[in-house]
């Protein structure tokens, strides 16, 4: 089945720094979402981005579907950005549609 | 707030027991998805229901079952619980059908601890 790999697995930043998180997928996908899981476990939608580029405040994302990767950019990081960032891809296999999550990037932003 | 609600927030039970987790989708959404997040397996898709019918199945154990009711809320039933079933269980919803490819909105999760 499709493989979804995220890098780096762990990231420590000083407050104010910028970072780029990457999501690689091994096959064509129907869609892609980025999530932030906060320290309380809640999954927060960041972007629904099957292709192209989107921006929301300090966050932006780019998906290049033909090259099978997506990037999440975090600028001027804040301590509240800490948590785990997941990408999830939607794929259709044998006529059924399902979401496959990557293993996540654990981000810690230091004050 | 995603608009998806899940109850209970926390559940502590013993091995061998049976529990029911409940999910109410966003208003207007017809599709409900269940996911399990455990320490060793990460976030895994379990099952999807669309307008009361099972639409897709993932890595769901035979001890687990789900259903979606006419009012579109869904329940995930976990039976003969084992220690390894301890996890965070998420429910997500979207409009489903031809729009299954649309983004999914996740509830706050139910944290299950099996002792």
């Amino acid at each position: 089945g499709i493989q979804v790999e995220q890098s780096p697995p762990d990231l420590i930043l000083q407050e104010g720094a910028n970072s780029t998180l990457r999501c690689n997928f091994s096959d064509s996908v129907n869609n892609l979402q980025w999530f932030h899981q906060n320290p309380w476990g809640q999954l927060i939608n960041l972007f629904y981005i099957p292709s192209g580029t989107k921006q929301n405040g300090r966050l932006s994302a780019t998906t290049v579907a033909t090259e099978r990767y997506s990037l999440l950019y975090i600028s001027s990081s804040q301590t509240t950005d800490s948590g785990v960032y997941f990408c999830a891809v939607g794929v259709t296999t044998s006529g059924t549609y399902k979401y496959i999550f990557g293993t996540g990037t654990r981000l810690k932003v230091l004050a | 707030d995603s608009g998806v609600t899940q109850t209970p927030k926390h559940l502590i039970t013993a091995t061998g027991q049976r529990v029911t987790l409940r999910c109410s989708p966003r208003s207007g959404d017809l599709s409900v998805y269940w996911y399990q997040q455990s320490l060793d397996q990460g976030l895994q898709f379990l099952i999807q229901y669309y307008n009361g019918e099972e639409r897709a199945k993932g890595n769901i154990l035979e001890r687990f079952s789900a259903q979606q009711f006419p009012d579109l809320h869904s329940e995930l039933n976990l039976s003969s619980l084992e220690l390894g079933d301890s996890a965070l269980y998420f429910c997500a919803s979207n409009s489903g059908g031809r729009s299954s490819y649309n983004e999914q909105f996740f509830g706050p999760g139910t944290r299950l601890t099996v002792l």
Side-chain angles (χ1 to χ4, degrees):
Chain A
I2 189 170
Q3 303 296 315
V4 183
E5 297 180 350
Q6 291 186 242
S7 60
D10 296 280
L11 189 56
I12 300 176
L13 298 175
Q14 207 63 43
E15 200 170 29
N18 303 329
S19 61
T20 301
L21 281 56
R22 187 176 181 102
C23 173
N24 290 336
F25 39 98
S26 60
D27 206 344
S28 300
V29 300
N30 301 119
N31 66 27
L32 187 146
Q33 277 186 255
W34 281 98
F35 297 91
H36 174 215
Q37 188 168 35
N38 63 24
W40 296 271
Q42 188 178 6
L43 275 173
I44 300 163
N45 280 24
L46 295 178
F47 294 102
Y48 170 72
I49 186 165
S51 64
T53 297
K54 288 186 178 179
Q55 179 153 10
N56 184 3
R58 296 181 296 103
L59 303 181
S60 64
T62 295
T63 297
V64 184
T66 52
E67 297 186 21
R68 299 179 184 169
Y69 73 89
S70 183
L71 302 174
L72 177 69
Y73 305 96
I74 305 175
S75 64
S76 304
S77 57
Q78 301 175 357
T79 55
T80 51
D81 295 331
S82 297
V84 184
Y85 290 80
F86 290 101
C87 67
V89 299
V91 296
T92 301
T93 306
S94 302
T96 62
Y97 172 78
K98 56 183 73 171
Y99 253 33
I100 310 295
F101 277 79
T103 50
T105 292
R106 187 174 299 274
L107 173 65
K108 188 173 179 67
V109 181
L110 305 175
Chain B
D1 185 354
S2 67
V4 179
T5 61
Q6 290 186 248
T7 57
K9 288 185 179 178
H10 302 278
L11 198 47
I12 301 174
T13 189
T15 54
Q17 296 298 304
R18 172 190 169 96
V19 297
T20 297
L21 313 184
R22 182 188 170 106
C23 167
S24 292
R26 292 188 319 157
S27 176
D29 283 353
L30 299 179
S31 250
V32 170
Y33 307 78
W34 286 98
Y35 295 85
Q36 178 194 56
Q37 185 178 28
S38 60
L39 282 175
D40 57 343
Q41 296 289 327
L43 260 159
Q44 291 198 96
F45 167 70
L46 295 179
I47 197 165
Q48 177 202 357
Y49 276 81
Y50 173 72
N51 204 20
E53 294 189 2
E54 183 183 306
R55 173 65 66 88
K57 222 170 199 178
N59 302 321
I60 188 165
L61 299 173
E62 286 192 9
R63 299 183 286 107
F64 297 180
S65 65
Q67 53 184 327
Q68 186 178 28
F69 295 85
D71 66 353
L72 300 177
H73 90 272
S74 178
E75 294 180 356
L76 179 66
N77 300 296
L78 316 176
S79 61
S80 303
L81 285 168
E82 302 175 359
L83 296 178
D85 297 327
S86 295
L88 197 50
Y89 291 85
F90 287 102
C91 164
S93 77
N94 66 8
S95 51
R98 289 181 180 272
S99 302
S100 279
Y101 300 163
N102 286 349
E103 63 185 305
Q104 296 186 14
F105 295 87
F106 280 72
T110 292
R111 188 173 295 277
L112 173 66
T113 302
V114 182
L115 301 175

